[in-house]
Amino acid sequence: MMNKLFSLFAALLFTMQSFAQSDYYKWELQNLSDISRLAEYRVGKMQQLSSYDRSGGNDDGFSGKYSYIRKEGNDLVLADIKGAGIINRIWTPTPSNDTIQFYFDGEKVPRINMPFIDLFSGETYPFVAPLCGNEIGGYYCYLPIPYEKSLKIIYKGEIMKFQQIQYRELTHKEKIQSFSWEYFNSNPVLSEISQTWKHMSLSSLYNDEIKMRKINFTIKGGKEQQIFTLQQGGRIVGIELDSDYNLQSKSDKLIFKAKWDNEKENAIDVPFQSFFGYAFGKPSMKSMLLGATQAMCYSYLPMPFDGQANLSVEYKSGNKEEEITLSGRIYYTEKQRDKRREGKLYTQSRREYLPEPGVPYTIADVQGKGHYIGTILIAQGLNEGMTEYWESDDCSFIDGEMRMHGTGSEDYFNGGWYAVTDRWDRGISLPIHGSLLYDIKTARTGGYRFYLSDKINFNSSYVLTIEHGPEGNKLDVDYTSVGLFYADKPQFKNQYLTHVVNEVPRRDILLPQDMTMRLYWFTQASFNGSSMIISSKREDHWTTNIDFEAVPMVQFDLTGMDNGKYKVTVVHTGSNEARPFSVWQRTNQVSEWISGNNNVQTTSYAGEIEISDQIKTLTLRKKKMDNTELQIDYLIFEKIE
């Protein structure tokens, strides 16, 4: 009888333990959809394996030298982790059909045994979209992969190139079972995540607790206006500010501020365009947590506080008669912060023009206990016609220890291959990461990334840096960033610049390979290396009789360039068939007729143009009666006003 009771007790204990482990994994999965938990502290040690060049060079995966920890026969061991933990993120821009294997808890047979690319296709259950997918050049997997005792990851291809594997080591208090395909057979959690990533619903997160207050206010230049206050403990869960052209045009002069309780420093003190993810004056970031559309600036980051909350907006305009009217909605609950379990939201807003050579740019430098949940970064290159500064690695120091080292700036934002068509080549917003823009002619780009189940917890400090150049931090750049985190107290000041003194002269270079263009009906174009050869024959057609003297050959799109006045220079090479050409802006002739010598590269000043919202094109024309062929090497735009 005693043996039966003992067996029954042991079985009951095992069932309870199994339920607890299964329940913990469910909790981990729900962190990907329940953003109300973002403020909650977590334990465990965050780590990342990656293919970064240990020598300090830029071989971060090109040769595959640093992409694995050892070989076992012909197999590459990507990870060999002891103890319990969870893989939170896997990234690569170079997936393949070669097999990847996951061996759990010392088992001889892999539980996961599949083509590497299937981790990211979004079609192999449970590695499904939107947790797994690819865009802007990067392939990412955010499905948590738990392991109870150990995990070995084997790659059975000849070469593994770029990769990052982020994981969290669990403490002895956290119990979890290793990955099981069967777990997902009847579990709706993946569909719940998918629904949340497609459409954020505050009412489903906070139920009947949520309250809403409408706001409408006018701010004069040089003034600060309080827009919301709450005098008892609670949490702000949503901010929606109606946007229009007036707000967008003044976003660089508006500062969004928040202060919790009786703290001396503002918890949030950030320019509108930085906090809501504008890219050079235009709405760009449209994540599930924070962003801006043409109609609205929004934040759904939970902001818990103990006794008092104040939101305000400052209008930094030198014209005191100028004013702006903003309206919107603030959503909140009266559920007080749990001081033992939750931090308060803080931001570090920074801008650094010409970072110090040899020293990486600092995005976040936090002292205290908390966890990091997001990065927004805008970059303006100061070396014309190139964005090589984006070849820079991120680096995270957690509690004084370097635990995460990336392989390139776009890689950090789950992208890959900047300046390559259909990769990191434009602004694309996804639920938790994206590219804010990419434009090589103005040397601009930027990205954002938010952390959910992979949020980076720290006990005493967290420092996040990013380089400015592939090696040695040597390239000139203008970085603007926002780091977002939850912590137990404020311990910093924001460091953003509003104006740059002694600005380095910068020119925009339009290379043919990066041009968006329209060819006239009887014009043909081909490439000679990085130059473009334009051929246009005389044609007696009604379309060529619209213009009396100068017939269009090609029109270049200048979208992405700032409005203003520019000096324009054309660098071109003549040929046997070359005839004079001229530069026009719509129906206005900018230049005189320009000629060149055969096989000689010539730099010809064209004149001045003005770029506006309505006119963002430039056209090359020929004389009506000519047959011509000319080689355009590049165009130079020097802003003068």
Side-chain angles (χ1 to χ4, degrees), residues 546-564:
I546 295 174
D547 296 280
F548 297 104
E549 287 295 332
V551 178
M553 292 186 291
V554 59
Q555 182 188 76
F556 300 121
D557 185 4
L558 305 182
T559 301
M561 294 185 62
D562 293 336
N563 294 346

Side-chain angles (χ1 to χ4, degrees), residues 365-485:
D365 186 356
V366 186
Q367 302 297 315
K369 171 185 171 64
H371 49 274
Y372 191 80
I373 59 100
T375 299
I376 305 166
L377 179 66
I378 282 285
Q380 169 67 75
L382 302 176
N383 302 99
E384 60 201 30
M386 56 86 90
T387 54
E388 192 181 6
Y389 61 82
W390 211 235
E391 197 76 12
S392 307
D393 296 351
D394 63 280
C395 194
S396 288
F397 296 84
I398 305 170
D399 299 331
E401 180 184 4
M402 195 280 281
R403 295 199 211 143
M404 298 183 176
H405 197 298
T407 54
S409 299
E410 78 273 35
D411 307 352
Y412 171 78
F413 297 108
N414 286 323
W417 308 120
Y418 66 86
V420 178
T421 301
D422 294 334
R423 301 301 197 269
W424 189 280
D425 65 344
R426 67 195 59 226
I428 293 181
S429 277
L430 300 170
I432 62 172
H433 69 269
S435 166
L436 293 172
L437 84 164
Y438 184 83
D439 187 41
I440 197 169
K441 63 179 174 290
T442 56
R444 291 172 171 173
T445 190
Y448 68 90
R449 175 179 165 190
F450 293 102
Y451 300 74
L452 297 177
S453 65
D454 59 329
K455 60 189 182 185
I456 302 175
N457 54 287
F458 49 89
N459 294 318
S460 60
S461 65
Y462 178 70
V463 178
L464 172 63
T465 65
I466 199 160
E467 298 169 329
H468 48 102
E471 296 179 31
N473 295 288
K474 299 175 182 177
L475 295 183
D476 296 337
V477 69
D478 182 0
Y479 274 139
T480 302
S481 65
V482 181
L484 301 108
F485 55 95

